[in-house]
Amino acid sequence: METLALQPGVLFAYIIGIGLIYFIGKVFVMPVKFIWKFIYNGLIGGIMLWIVNFVGSYVGFEIGINVVTALVAGFLGIPGVILLIAFKLFF
């Protein structure tokens, strides 16, 4: 009977192969996470803009929803809506 010894070249090939699989997986997963983060921030930001306008309509405070406010709320999420409120109050 032969012993199943792993030769150094085969072990090295396994390590390189696993490393390549890991690297390729990271390359494809990172953009998906990035896109989901923007979608999530955009939804939360849009909902927050809607809530601010809904509640603010009772006290005469509204933020116009246009391309700029949508992009700020979409990219930054809740902090973006807070930034828009601060700009509206102070400028």
Side-chain angles (χ1 to χ4, degrees):
M1 294 197 124
E2 293 181 30
T3 58
L4 297 174
L6 216 50
Q7 297 175 357
V10 174
L11 181 62
F12 183 71
Y14 277 123
I15 292 171
I16 295 296
I18 290 171
L20 283 173
I21 290 171
Y22 175 77
F23 178 74
I24 291 170
K26 285 295 259 187
V27 166
F28 286 119
V29 170
M30 279 180 24
V32 172
K33 286 183 181 179
F34 194 64
I35 290 169
W36 280 115
K37 182 178 178 183
F38 276 127
I39 290 172
Y40 175 76
N41 280 348
L43 288 174
I44 296 298
I47 291 169
M48 289 299 295
L49 272 177
W50 183 79
I51 290 171
V52 166
N53 283 336
F54 181 75
V55 172
S57 67
Y58 293 110
V59 294
F61 180 82
E62 292 183 8
I63 297 174
I65 298 177
N66 55 35
V67 175
V68 175
T69 58
L71 286 173
V72 169
F75 282 123
L76 300 177
I78 294 173
V81 174
I82 293 170
L83 179 71
L84 290 171
I85 292 170
F87 275 136
K88 179 76 174 188
L89 288 174
F90 297 114
F91 296 109

